[in-house]
Amino acid sequence: MKIRTFIATASLVASGSLVAFSGSAQAALYTTCVGDGGAVTVSNDLVVPAGKSCTLTGTKVKGSVTVEAGADLVAAGATFNGAVNVEENAYLDLTDTTVKGTLTTDSAFGTHLEKSNLKAVDATEGFVYAVDSTLGGNVSTDSGELYVSGSTLNAALTGEGNQYTDVYDSTVKGALTVNGNALGGVFCASEVYGAAKYSGNADNLQIGGEGALGPCAGASYFGGNLAITDNTANSVLDNAIVRGSLTATGNNPVLVVGELARIRGAVTGDTAAASASASRSAKQAAPQDRGAELAEKAAERAAAAKAEAHEAGKSRL
């Protein structure tokens, strides 16, 4: 009996040691960042804990990065080898930073990307504000705000159910899809080489040229077919070359095509020519600079995050 009791007790002790070891190993799988981090290499995953702030300058993270609920991560000159996940009401601000995995946000406050290189972006709610950046994979946003300026997108761009989808001075090498945006969208001085589709949008659609959403300097180019269908938005197509066909069906009001629009393929559906009075009104309309509004929103959150991180001191990375 004593021998059996000893064996059972030894087994439990061994089992307990194994759990403790496993727990310790699990804890070592990631590094937390609270405060200011510098030019070091984090060999595992990095986590910004919920409600905390972290700044990184010249930091390299070999694993994934998670910005937990309500947290902030502001990075400059950083390299993230894995995926980046941004949780509810969290904020991500990247400048001169490379992300080799997919950036995923879920009900985040927003994401500001400037002069950065990323793979793919999959965002649900919150804003995505990309300036002078390169995005190598598909960019998809749902139920948020999307503003892209001076950027190159090597795959598809999708704005689904957003407040708006605005593209300025950018190149989209894949398809462009803008569906169900409550405040429509702008496509200005930009190029898209895949098929382009605007469907089910409201308020205003300004696709090239002048419009109710402000001035647009420079022509736009559509390398494939362009479909503008089933919109209740005031839709204008102008100062653009469409290499493929134009489909304009189910729009109420009908699509207005300006005198600077050039359609190389067939035109299907109903269109109307822009009147001189409408053109003058468009030029006189006060521009709605949604980019400036997002920049201000991002700057305020980033400033608060930096102040909080600085107050926390140096992060032990």
Side-chain angles (χ1 to χ4, degrees), residues 7-25:
I7 292 173
T9 303
S11 298
L12 288 172
V13 170
S15 176
S17 297
L18 181 61
V19 170
F21 177 80
S22 297
S24 176

Side-chain angles (χ1 to χ4, degrees), residues 152-176:
T152 298
L153 294 84
N154 291 325
L157 174 64
T158 301
E160 185 77 36
N162 288 337
Q163 287 295 300
Y164 55 83
T165 298
D166 291 353
V167 181
Y168 285 85
D169 191 27
S170 295
T171 299
V172 180
K173 295 183 179 179
L176 170 67

Side-chain angles (χ1 to χ4, degrees), residues 191-217:
E191 303 172 4
V192 56
Y193 288 91
K197 179 181 179 181
Y198 287 81
S199 181
N201 301 288
D203 199 55
N204 284 285
L205 284 177
Q206 183 178 317
I207 306 172
E210 307 289 341
L213 299 178
C216 177

Side-chain angles (χ1 to χ4, degrees), residues 230-254:
D230 301 317
N231 299 286
T232 58
N234 294 305
S235 306
V236 178
L237 171 65
D238 200 6
N239 200 14
I241 296 173
V242 180
R243 292 279 300 180
S245 63
L246 170 65
T247 301
T249 56
N251 299 301
N252 185 18
V254 299

Side-chain angles (χ1 to χ4, degrees), residues 288-300:
Q288 300 176 22
D289 196 343
R290 298 192 280 219
E293 293 174 0
L294 279 187
E296 182 178 358
K297 186 188 296 188
E300 288 179 357

